């Protein structure tokens, strides 16, 4: 595509189409929606479902100057006739919204919203994330006095007010970083379902941020499972301490959980005998029976182990770590850290990742920690 | 020149936003060769006479940057401060060099660092012969080189901006970047598929 300025069919050297968000919304999109003529055909109409991101640069070229971003209008179509979701699938993949929509202001007045989307190759839920990012701008001039409400609706995804109509999009390619993310995704998604221990072993090659996300993602899943378990088994949630709800979800985790000291003093519950305890370690417990036993078993035999109940030591350890203290700080609490780390990392889940994150975050201390945790696996 | 250049002729959204190479190859080389520059929009200022906050309405504004030609000088003292180089010179393809400078208020003995950043571009010396040749000058080779070399040496093109924090934030365009929050949400996406129960 070329544009024509005063008879010359090019943009002068040094000039680029580099609109502000306000220009995109208040000039281009507003004119488009109002069917007003836009003097120069700078932003083209595009059928998003028929255009792969790598074809956009050809289709949305402006003049002959090199571009880093490309712009187009798109008309949003519903995914299902009766639904509220937008169809953003192409032949080769799909655009997936990420994060929360951002409000765009122009001199303190709300003029529109920006949605960020990522292109995935393939079909959900097995799409492979690409470096292509899209900012989709829509006009939305409603008052924003109900901030909490709009936050909720945008957090849910496509809210009722944004299904159809014209949007203006900016597509660009994200720089760097993604290669690492992609490789770790694949590792993660395959290993999560098959072998819960393996993520811990290859976390060394991953970025610290990645590991946080893995940890968070995992916790979410476990929480959801626990919630459904609670619903079906009708166990009162007041018996479940926070750590239970995270760690207690997966059956093969509970043995590690049992090694952790109780967070609160279990004065009201009758201790179970050591003889009863091994029955909990079987791997074929159903979640229901497991949770039933959680209620009864709080003061496990391990609770009286002074080394393991030393949460203060752990606190100090974390504090010293966060303060960037020397790796020698670990040597002050050898027994406590050794056992706590061992107990957590053997699970290869949850806390284990938190520790492997700290390994890479503080490189000076990393050897120390990994020796301890690996030795106890 | 207070407003963005070109706003009069071009539709909204177009602004002067040249790449480093464009700045050197198209604008500086023409200027140094004393050839007409199209569009002839970058003004010539004497760096020594202006503090960076004086560029407003004098230099060419494109986005958050100001552009101007200036005589090349090693003394970059201004009325109220001085420009000090940071880092090393970088090549701009095979046509020029780029210096990064920071503005200090006060005198050289104890200036205070500011957020004003300048990229100063000059032509590579070897460009002299090729540019004079490509411009079809009918001078003898030796004379042409000497003359063009002197001309090249005289001019630089500067791009100035006031930055928020670090030394080179100007080189990145905010609108093109993802915010920290975006990055975090992007990473959350990675785990959506596995964390949703089927």
């Amino acid at each position: 595509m070329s544009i024509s300025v005063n008879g010359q069919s090019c943009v002068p050297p040094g000039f680029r189409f580099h609109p502000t968000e306000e220009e995109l919304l208040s000039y281009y999109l507003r004119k488009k929606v109002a069917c007003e003529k836009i003097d120069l055909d700078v932003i083209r109409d595009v059928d998003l479902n028929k255009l792969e991101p790598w074809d956009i640069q050809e289709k949305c070229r402006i003049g002959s100057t090199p571009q880093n971003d490309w712009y187009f209008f798109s008309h949003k179509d519903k995914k299902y006739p009766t639904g509220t979701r937008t169809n953003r699938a192409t032949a080769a993949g799909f655009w997936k919204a990420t994060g929360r929509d951002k409000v765009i202001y122009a001199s303190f007045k709300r003029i529109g919203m920006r949605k960020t989307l990522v292109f995935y190759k393939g079909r959900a839920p097995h799409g492979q994330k690409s470096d292509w990012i899209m900012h989709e701008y829509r006009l939305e001039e409603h008052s924003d006095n109900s901030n909490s409400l709009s936050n909720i609706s945008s957090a849910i995804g496509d809210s009722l007010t944004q299904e159809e109509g014209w949007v203006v999009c900016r597509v660009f390619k994200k720089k760097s970083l993604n290669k690492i993310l992609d490789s770790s995704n694949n590792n993660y998604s395959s290993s999560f379902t098959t072998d819960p221990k393996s993520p811990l072993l290859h976390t060394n090659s991953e970025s610290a941020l990645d590991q946080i996300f893995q940890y968070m993602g995992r916790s979410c899943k476990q929480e959801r499972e626990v919630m459904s378990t609670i619903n079906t088994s009708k166990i009162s949630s007041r018996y479940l301490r926070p750590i239970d709800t995270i760690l207690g979800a997966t059956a093969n985790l509970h043995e590690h959980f049992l090694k952790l000291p109780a967070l609160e003093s279990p004065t009201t519950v009758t201790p179970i005998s050591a003889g009863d305890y091994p029955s909990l370690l079987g791997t074929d417990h159903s979640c229901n029976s497991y949770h039933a036993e959680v209620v009864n078993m709080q003061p496990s035999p391990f609770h009286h182990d002074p080394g393991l109940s030393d949460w203060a030591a752990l606190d100090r350890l974390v504090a010293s770590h966060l303060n960037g203290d020397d790796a020698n700080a670990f040597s002050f609490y050898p027994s406590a850290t050794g056992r706590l780390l061992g107990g957590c990392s053997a699970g290869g889940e949850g806390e284990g990742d938190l520790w492997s994150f700290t390994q890479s975050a503080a490189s000076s201390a990393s050897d120390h920690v990994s020796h301890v945790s690996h030795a106890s696996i | 020149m207070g407003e963005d250049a070109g706003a009069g002729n071009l539709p909204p959204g177009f602004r002067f936003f040249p790449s480093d190479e464009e700045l050197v190859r198209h604008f500086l080389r023409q200027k140094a060769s004393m050839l007409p520059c199209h569009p002839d929009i970058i003004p010539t200022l004497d760096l020594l006479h202006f503090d960076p906050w004086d560029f407003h309405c004098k230099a060419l504004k494109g986005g958050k940057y100001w552009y101007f030609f200036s005589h090349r000088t090693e003394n970059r003292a201004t009325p109220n401060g001085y420009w000090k180089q940071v880092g090393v010179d970088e090549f701009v393809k095979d046509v020029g060099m780029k210096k990064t400078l920071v503005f200090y208020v006060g005198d050289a003995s104890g200036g205070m660092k500011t957020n004003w950043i300048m990229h100063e571009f000059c032509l590579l010396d070897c460009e002299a012969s090729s540019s004079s040749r490509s411009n079809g000058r009918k001078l003898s080779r030796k004379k042409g080189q000497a003359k063009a070399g002197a001309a090249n040496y005289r001019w630089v093109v500067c791009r100035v901006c006031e930055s928020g924090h670090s030394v080179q934030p100007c080189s990145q365009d905010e609108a093109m970047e993802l915010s920290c929050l975006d990055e975090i949400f992007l990473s959350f996406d990675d785990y959506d598929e596995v964390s949703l129960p089927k």
Side-chain angles (χ1 to χ4, degrees):
Chain A
M1 182 179 97
S2 66
I3 69 161
S4 160
V5 183
N6 298 334
Q8 286 181 297
S9 62
C10 67
V11 183
F15 283 82
R16 277 187 173 69
F17 187 57
H18 209 73
T20 61
E21 292 178 322
E22 185 182 350
E23 282 167 334
L24 277 178
L25 282 165
S26 298
Y27 183 83
Y28 287 101
L29 186 55
R30 191 187 296 271
K31 280 194 173 232
K32 183 73 187 176
V33 168
C35 297
E36 286 176 43
K37 191 176 177 306
I38 299 171
D39 292 342
L40 288 167
D41 186 22
V42 180
I43 303 182
R44 290 193 121 193
D45 294 356
V46 150
D47 185 347
L48 191 62
N49 305 119
K50 291 183 181 144
L51 186 68
E52 309 300 340
W54 40 90
D55 296 330
I56 287 174
Q57 11 190 340
E58 185 55 36
K59 186 139 188 169
C60 303
R61 197 145 41 93
I62 300 172
S64 56
T65 48
Q67 284 173 255
N68 295 320
D69 50 355
W70 297 269
Y71 300 83
F72 56 85
F73 291 119
S74 168
H75 195 272
K76 291 212 286 183
D77 295 315
K78 284 183 187 174
K79 193 169 187 174
Y80 309 109
T82 53
T84 59
R85 296 169 69 189
T86 308
N87 179 20
R88 295 191 189 91
T90 71
F94 57 97
W95 289 97
K96 187 177 169 192
T98 181
R100 228 160 61 170
D101 294 3
K102 183 191 167 198
V103 183
I104 307 296
Y105 295 96
S107 46
F108 305 109
K109 189 168 158 274
R110 175 177 176 153
I111 56 168
M113 301 289 285
R114 183 183 87 189
K115 184 187 284 300
T116 305
L117 303 104
V118 188
F119 189 78
Y120 285 71
K121 291 173 206 158
R123 283 281 169 260
H126 304 295
Q128 189 197 354
K129 195 158 93 171
S130 74
D131 290 346
W132 290 99
I133 311 284
M134 177 160 71
H135 284 157
E136 181 192 272
Y137 296 90
R138 62 178 189 273
L139 289 171
E140 198 173 295
E141 288 151 280
H142 312 294
S143 67
D144 54 344
N145 48 12
S146 56
N147 246 339
S148 56
L149 200 65
S150 69
N151 282 350
I152 290 168
S153 68
S154 52
I156 289 169
D158 291 1
S159 76
L160 286 172
T161 56
Q162 48 173 293
E163 307 358 319
E164 282 181 291
W166 287 104
V167 290
V168 63
C169 303
R170 179 216 319 267
V171 169
F172 58 96
K173 225 173 166 184
K174 194 167 96 125
K175 294 174 192 124
S176 71
L177 186 75
N178 240 40
K179 288 285 169 280
I180 308 164
L181 280 173
D182 278 345
S183 62
S184 67
N185 286 351
N186 298 339
N187 289 343
Y188 170 64
S189 47
S190 58
S191 59
F192 178 73
T193 45
T194 55
D195 178 9
K197 282 183 183 173
S198 56
L200 184 69
L201 301 179
H202 59 239
T203 46
N204 286 342
S205 62
E206 295 164 6
S207 73
L209 204 58
D210 254 358
Q211 295 177 26
I212 295 182
F213 293 135
Q214 288 201 9
Y215 171 68
M216 294 172 90
R218 228 166 270 162
S219 304
C220 286
K221 176 181 169 68
Q222 288 156 5
E223 260 170 340
R224 276 181 225 174
E225 286 185 354
V226 159
M227 289 319 285
S228 59
T229 313
I230 289 171
N231 289 340
T232 51
S233 61
K234 306 273 192 286
I235 293 178
S236 166
S237 61
R238 69 193 166 95
Y239 288 115
L240 295 172
R241 293 163 292 165
I243 197 164
D244 296 351
T245 58
I246 294 172
L247 290 180
T250 348
N252 64 358
L253 260 184
H254 67 259
E255 55 206 84
H256 309 302
F257 151 68
L258 290 174
K259 289 177 187 167
L260 290 172
L263 286 171
E264 56 196 27
S265 178
T267 51
T268 57
V269 189
T270 323
I272 54 170
S273 72
D276 294 340
Y277 181 68
S279 67
L280 291 174
L281 294 175
T283 49
D284 292 325
H285 284 294
S286 74
C287 283
N288 286 0
S289 66
Y290 167 58
H291 276 288
E293 284 168 308
V294 162
V295 178
N296 293 324
M297 53 114 269
Q298 287 193 2
S300 73
F302 294 88
H303 181 66
H304 302 292
D305 184 327
L308 279 177
S309 58
D310 193 359
W311 284 95
L314 181 61
D315 282 350
R316 283 195 298 272
L317 169 71
V318 172
S320 71
H321 205 89
L322 291 177
N323 289 337
D325 284 358
D326 193 61
N328 292 338
F330 285 96
S331 59
F332 295 135
Y333 317 103
S335 66
T337 56
R339 291 159 112 159
L340 285 168
L341 286 171
C344 296
S345 59
E349 296 271 357
E351 256 72 340
D353 270 338
L354 192 60
W355 281 109
S356 49
F357 159 61
T358 50
Q359 282 176 34
S360 61
S363 57
S364 66
S366 64
D367 285 344
H368 212 98
V369 179
S370 61
H371 288 163
V372 172
S373 59
H374 286 162
S376 58
I377 284 177
Chain B
M1 297 244 180
E3 291 302 306
D4 270 11
N9 298 327
L10 290 166
F14 281 92
R15 37 186 50 87
F16 190 63
F17 198 68
S19 66
D20 290 359
E21 189 186 351
E22 240 174 343
L23 209 50
V24 174
R25 203 182 282 279
H26 187 84
F27 292 94
L28 182 57
R29 202 159 67 171
Q30 297 293 98
K31 173 84 175 173
S33 308
M34 289 180 287
L35 289 169
C37 217
H38 178 77
D40 186 12
I41 47 172
I42 302 183
T44 302
L45 302 175
D46 191 340
L47 182 66
L48 305 185
H49 292 168
F50 297 96
D51 292 317
W53 45 88
D54 296 328
F55 291 140
H56 190 61
C57 294
K58 295 192 179 71
L60 169 69
K61 175 121 187 269
K64 59 176 182 173
Y65 303 98
W66 284 271
Y67 300 86
F68 59 92
F69 291 118
S70 183
H71 286 288
R72 185 167 178 167
T73 171
E74 289 308 311
N75 165 32
R76 298 187 185 86
T78 70
N80 291 296
Y82 58 96
W83 291 98
K84 185 180 172 187
Q85 181 168 359
V86 290
V88 292
D89 292 6
E90 293 170 54
F91 281 97
V92 179
K93 292 288 171 69
D94 56 347
V95 287
M97 298 295 289
K98 171 171 140 181
K99 276 188 206 305
T100 304
L101 304 105
V102 176
F103 188 73
Y104 285 73
V105 177
D107 57 30
S109 58
M112 197 173 70
K113 194 174 173 179
T114 69
N115 287 335
W116 289 94
I117 314 284
M118 177 162 74
H119 290 142
E120 186 190 271
F121 300 87
C122 67
L123 288 167
L124 280 178
D125 285 342
C126 63
E127 269 297 294
S129 52
S130 68
S131 82
S132 60
R133 268 204 304 273
S134 64
N135 292 329
R137 297 200 171 178
K138 303 288 183 194
L139 300 165
S140 79
R141 190 183 178 89
K142 194 176 171 186
K143 196 177 167 188
Q145 274 183 0
K147 190 167 182 176
N152 276 334
Y153 192 75
R154 278 181 57 204
W155 293 106
V156 291
V157 62
C158 301
R159 178 175 63 198
V160 175
C161 75
E162 189 177 16
S163 77
H165 357 249
S166 63
V167 171
Q168 236 176 349
C170 299
S171 60
Q172 300 287 349
D173 178 28
E174 295 148 0
M176 285 284 299
E177 296 303 307
L178 293 170
S179 69
C180 286
L181 213 57
D182 277 340
E183 294 281 3
I184 289 175
F185 282 128
L186 279 180
S187 306
F188 275 144
D189 279 358
D190 299 341
Y191 309 110
D192 274 8
E193 279 92 36
V194 282
S195 55
L196 281 169
K198 295 201 173 155

